[in-house]
Amino acid sequence: GAGVSQSPSNKVTEKGKDVELRCDPISGHTALYWYRQSLGQGLEFLIYFQGNSAPDKSGLPSDRFSAERTGGSVSTLTIQRTQQEDSAVYLCASSAPGYAPYSSLHFGNGTRLTVT
Amino acid sequence: SQQGEEDPQALSIQEGENATMNCSYKTSINNLQWYRQNSGRGLVHLILIRSNEREKHSGRLRVTLDTSKKSSSLLITASRAADTASYFCATDERYGGSQGNLIFGKGTKLSVKP
């Protein structure tokens, strides 16, 4: 079946503009995660959605970052007034229903964001 | 917050040799997972070990977990050039936050030379 799909794969934007990054999780997966990966670095947790529960937004770096998950499926990560330090690869992952601590994540290939 | 820390940061070996990567973490966990990332791609899940398990095998992969030392190791036996990738450990947080939030380390970059 289809894996996690992210769009666009690459995005170049000017400093100060807003961007929207999209994630289509695997059908039936209830958990959805956004991470950020700077060049050659590990993954920085941003936000986590689990079913109908309130999302865990503890990783969002500033109020310029927000995310939505509509209908428990597609998610959009929005970055307002982009800054050069926002340049990174934004990775989305989803996991199947079940006890979350014992679930593995399925990742998309990411959106490479470049802020000029 | 940083949870898992892998070492070494980079490892270069010859094909056929074994590769060992280590991960240390700070808090109590439910599970520890290892992922692989090829250049320019997303991460792929390799193996999950629960906190009450000490060792797990999957093909050429062997993972150990020592909860008393808060550490894990990933061993890849008889390495191949195709194993060249970055390897990350990830743990869930059992303090604060919401369970299920996976925190990743910075990874070990493995290079296997033919």
Side-chain angles (χ1 to χ4, degrees):
Chain A
V4 176
S5 177
Q6 291 188 245
S7 60
S9 55
N10 280 284
K11 176 73 177 178
V12 180
T13 190
E14 291 180 353
K15 178 181 170 182
K17 294 280 178 72
D18 297 351
V19 294
E20 283 190 353
L21 312 180
R22 177 186 169 103
C23 173
D24 283 88
I26 293 173
S27 178
H29 279 196
T30 55
L32 187 147
Y33 303 74
W34 283 98
Y35 291 88
R36 176 167 74 173
Q37 186 176 31
S38 300
L39 188 62
Q41 298 296 309
L43 275 69
E44 176 189 2
F45 166 74
L46 297 177
I47 188 168
Y48 161 56
F49 297 89
Q50 174 61 282
N52 296 322
S53 303
D56 176 356
K57 303 179 181 180
S58 60
L60 294 178
S62 76
D63 58 8
R64 296 186 296 105
F65 288 73
S66 63
E68 288 186 337
R69 189 176 186 193
T70 53
S73 181
V74 172
S75 178
T76 303
L77 177 69
T78 301
I79 308 173
Q80 296 178 310
R81 305 180 303 281
T82 52
Q83 304 293 313
Q84 287 187 328
E85 61 263 28
D86 298 335
S87 295
V89 175
Y90 289 81
L91 291 163
C92 175
S94 66
S95 67
Y99 185 46
Y102 297 147
S103 298
S104 60
L105 302 190
H106 300 257
F107 280 83
N109 285 329
T111 293
R112 181 176 297 277
L113 175 66
T114 304
V115 182
T116 60
Chain B
S1 63
Q2 191 68 45
Q3 174 72 313
E5 291 279 352
E6 295 91 341
D7 83 271
Q9 291 186 336
L11 179 62
S12 182
I13 59 175
Q14 294 294 133
E15 227 174 7
E17 294 181 339
N18 295 340
T20 300
M21 289 159 270
N22 302 296
C23 170
S24 59
Y25 57 92
K26 297 173 185 166
T27 68
S28 296
I29 60 171
N30 290 300
N31 75 73
L32 185 143
Q33 304 183 35
W34 285 92
Y35 287 79
R36 163 193 167 131
Q37 184 180 36
N38 287 82
S39 182
R41 308 282 290 181
L43 280 73
V44 175
H45 177 257
L46 295 176
I47 197 164
L48 179 154
I49 186 166
R50 299 187 181 195
S51 58
N52 61 353
E53 296 176 312
R54 292 295 166 259
E55 188 171 313
K56 205 159 180 181
H57 296 255
S58 176
R60 293 184 295 113
L61 305 181
R62 173 178 168 249
V63 169
T64 61
L65 179 64
D66 187 335
T67 52
S68 66
K69 294 181 180 176
K70 292 187 168 60
S71 68
S72 172
S73 68
L74 170 67
L75 168 68
I76 304 174
T77 59
S79 63
R80 305 166 183 167
D83 294 330
T84 295
S86 291
Y87 292 82
F88 295 87
C89 70
T91 54
D92 65 325
E93 294 182 314
R94 286 179 71 181
Y95 70 97
S98 59
Q99 287 198 330
N101 174 7
L102 280 184
I103 304 295
F104 286 77
K106 291 185 178 180
T108 292
K109 199 165 189 176
L110 173 67
S111 176
V112 181
K113 298 178 181 176

